[in-house]
């Protein structure tokens, strides 16, 4: 916040004000689950032994395996939390329609929650997004509406504009809107951050995570900074997006073209830009070397973690968040023909021999 003005958020770091939000303790269930929703979260954290050795790291490099959530991504956590907060506030009840403009994972999480709880679900997304996510959404019974990719986010034809129009046309419909909904960072603050503290016994020196809405970095970062004074939070932003600071780091082009309100960028200590080639190759590396069936943004986070973890010593720990699973990318970076057509590999027969590639 500028000097002499109250912090944007009443419970910003360093503020003694009590949180205005409803917080939830975690309930671990190792017995029979009543629904799959009880199994959202509680994901494993796994040491990347082979990668540590190959890259000569002295520290522990740990992967938080969010691809192991029931819907295949970290977004299951926020989908459940946004729906349950809206239910608690009396804004929705079973039979209502959930509409969300999303490029995929939040949609899959919401579609999953909708199936179990009895909501209708409509997802609007740009045409350029992979058909793999659309197949999963349709399998879960969601209605998917594609919008043109070449329009700006505030155009009425964009996936945001389309969602707004549908909400007006549909009775008892709500847009939970992950970009402005406090339940997004709260889900991370109350669940994944608590799991990390518990799994690592409160010993984390660096956390590396990607930014889309910024909910992950805001929620995890805020809780970890409250508990571990020396921790460094590293934000990973694709080339072409505008989330990183200072803004000179950002390259014009595709990616996020606005700053979501759920994102408190003051939580991030350092920004790193990642490129597609390193991201896809690192994701394939996580799959081939460690058996972690993750998606492309997991590779983005790893490519930066390898860089920042070089400077850590033996007794230090770097945690990298792997947000989603291989399922979303069967026809893209998992496919050698796609990788070749897009110039990411030269020859499929040698694709797996090219590591380490820098
Ligand atoms: N990776 C993937 C695959 C995602 O779908 C998202 C969310 N768009 C992110 C990373 C970033 O998460 P957040 O929205 O919490 O910043």
């Amino acid at each position: 916040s500028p000097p002499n003005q109250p912090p944007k958020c009443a419970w910003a770091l360093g503020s003694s004000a009590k949180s205005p939000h409803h917080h939830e303790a975690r309930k671990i269930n190792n017995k029979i689950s009543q629904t799959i929703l009880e199994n959202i979260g509680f994901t494993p954290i796994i040491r990347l032994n082979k990668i540590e050795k190959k890259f000569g790291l002295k520290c522990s490099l740990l992967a938080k395996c969010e691809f192991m959530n029931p819907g295949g991504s970290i977004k299951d956590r926020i989908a459940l939390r946004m729906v349950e907060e809206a239910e608690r506030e009396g804004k929705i009840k079973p039979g209502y329609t959930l509409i969300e403009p999303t490029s995929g994972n939040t949609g899959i999480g919401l579609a999953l929650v909708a199936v179990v709880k009895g909501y209708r679900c409509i997802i609007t997304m740009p045409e350029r997004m992979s058909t793999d996510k659309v197949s999963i959404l349709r399998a879960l019974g969601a209605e998917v509406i594609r919008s043109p990719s070449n329009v700006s986010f505030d155009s009425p034809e964009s996936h945001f504009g389309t969602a707004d129009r549908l909400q007006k046309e549909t009775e008892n419909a709500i847009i939970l809107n992950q970009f402005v909904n406090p339940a997004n960072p709260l889900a991370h603050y109350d669940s994944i951050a608590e799991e990390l503290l518990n799994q690592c016994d409160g010993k984390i020196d660096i956390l590396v995570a990607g930014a889309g809405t910024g909910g992950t970095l805001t929620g995890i970062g805020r809780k970890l900074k409250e508990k571990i004074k020396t921790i460094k939070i590293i934000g990973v932003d694709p080339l072409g997006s505008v989330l990183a600071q200072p803004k000179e780091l950002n390259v014009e082009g595709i990616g996020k073209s606005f700053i979501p309100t759920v994102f408190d960028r003051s939580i991030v200590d350092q920004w790193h830009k990642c490129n597609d080639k390193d991201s896809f190759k690192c994701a394939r590396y996580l799959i081939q070397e460690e058996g972690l069936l993750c998606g492309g943004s997991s590779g983005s986070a790893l490519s930066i973690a390898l860089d920042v973890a070089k400077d850590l010593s033996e007794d230090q720990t770097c945690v990298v968040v792997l947000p989603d699973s291989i399922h979303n990318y069967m026809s893209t970076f998992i496919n050698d023909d796609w990788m070749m057509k897009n110039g990411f590999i030269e020859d499929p027969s040698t694709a797996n021999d090219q590591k380490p590639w820098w």
Side-chain angles (χ1 to χ4, degrees):
S1 302
N4 306 325
Q5 282 189 21
K8 265 191 306 207
C9 167
W11 58 299
L13 279 181
S15 159
S16 57
K18 204 170 167 303
S19 163
H21 300 292
H22 156 80
H23 289 279
E24 281 179 356
R26 313 261 21 234
K27 299 178 213 86
I28 298 172
N29 174 16
N30 295 323
K31 302 271 179 165
I32 297 168
S33 299
Q34 296 309 306
T35 77
I36 187 69
L37 304 184
E38 288 176 22
N39 298 90
I40 290 176
F42 310 107
T43 55
I45 188 157
I46 296 177
R47 187 152 181 191
L48 304 179
N49 286 293
K50 288 170 77 183
I51 292 181
E52 278 172 19
K53 275 203 199 81
K54 280 226 156 106
F55 286 84
L57 300 182
K58 293 192 221 69
C59 68
S60 305
L61 183 60
L62 308 178
K64 181 66 170 161
C65 297
E66 290 300 292
F67 62 88
M68 291 179 73
N69 274 295
S73 91
I74 192 167
K75 295 294 190 170
D76 289 359
R77 297 179 189 262
I78 75 158
L80 179 63
R81 187 64 187 261
M82 292 196 302
V83 168
E84 293 199 333
E85 288 296 326
E87 286 174 339
R88 218 175 50 83
E89 290 164 14
K91 291 183 183 157
I92 54 172
K93 47 184 186 232
Y96 278 35
T97 302
L98 311 177
I99 303 175
E100 192 74 5
T102 166
S103 57
N105 283 321
T106 301
I108 293 169
L110 283 171
L112 184 86
V113 174
V115 161
V116 175
K117 285 179 173 276
Y119 293 96
R120 179 184 172 202
C121 183
I122 304 177
I123 302 300
T124 62
M125 64 158 76
E127 255 150 18
R128 82 181 127 86
M129 296 303 164
S130 90
T131 52
D132 300 310
K133 287 179 186 163
V134 175
S135 304
I136 300 171
L137 285 165
R138 295 215 163 110
L140 282 165
E143 295 155 62
V144 180
I145 301 187
R146 313 298 292 265
S147 61
S149 296
N150 55 354
V151 294
S152 90
F153 72 88
D154 49 3
S155 146
E157 287 163 75
S158 73
H159 60 305
F160 293 103
T162 307
D164 284 342
R165 178 176 55 75
L166 287 172
Q167 190 200 9
K168 289 194 191 92
E169 292 169 4
T170 313
E171 212 183 325
N172 293 332
I174 191 169
I175 301 177
L176 292 165
N177 196 349
Q178 60 172 339
F179 292 96
V180 300
N181 193 326
N184 168 1
L186 266 178
H188 300 295
Y189 181 90
D190 281 345
S191 71
I192 182 170
E194 289 292 339
E195 291 168 30
L196 287 171
L197 285 165
N198 187 34
Q199 288 169 314
C200 300
D201 294 321
K203 251 199 58 40
I204 306 173
D205 297 279
I206 292 183
L207 178 112
V208 183
T213 64
T216 303
L217 280 165
T218 304
I220 299 183
R222 186 170 285 159
K223 172 68 67 67
L224 293 186
K225 285 194 159 187
E226 285 169 1
K227 305 285 179 188
I228 310 171
K229 296 294 169 220
T230 51
I231 194 164
K232 290 273 169 291
I233 305 292
I234 309 292
V236 179
D237 193 32
L239 289 173
S241 162
V242 299
L243 294 172
Q245 287 175 312
K247 66 178 186 323
E248 291 69 41
L249 278 176
N250 299 306
V251 180
E252 258 184 72
I254 49 144
K256 282 276 169 296
S257 46
F258 62 95
I259 312 296
T261 58
V262 289
F263 198 1
D264 177 356
R265 290 188 296 166
S266 70
I267 298 283
V268 177
D269 295 299
Q270 217 179 75
W271 281 103
H272 288 256
K273 289 297 219 181
C274 63
N275 65 57
D276 285 353
K277 189 167 181 169
D278 287 350
S279 300
F280 293 141
K281 288 198 164 184
C282 273
R284 287 171 71 124
Y285 203 49
L286 281 163
I287 297 166
Q288 288 155 12
E289 294 292 320
E290 305 282 358
L292 304 180
L293 293 178
C294 61
S297 72
S298 302
S300 310
L302 177 67
S303 72
I304 302 306
L306 289 174
D307 223 16
V308 294
K310 286 197 309 276
D311 304 324
L312 294 184
S313 56
E314 258 158 48
D315 55 344
Q316 291 188 299
T317 301
C318 175
V319 172
V320 49
V321 178
L322 310 187
D324 79 346
S325 93
I326 193 171
H327 302 128
N328 291 336
Y329 309 96
M330 302 309 277
S331 62
T332 58
F333 84 89
I334 295 306
N335 181 302
D336 284 342
D337 292 337
W338 184 93
M339 287 289 274
M340 212 159 77
K341 206 168 86 200
N342 288 281
F344 296 124
I345 54 175
E346 271 127 48
D347 176 1
S349 65
T350 60
N352 292 352
D353 309 334
Q354 293 171 4
K355 38 184 197 190
W357 48 87
W358 65 79

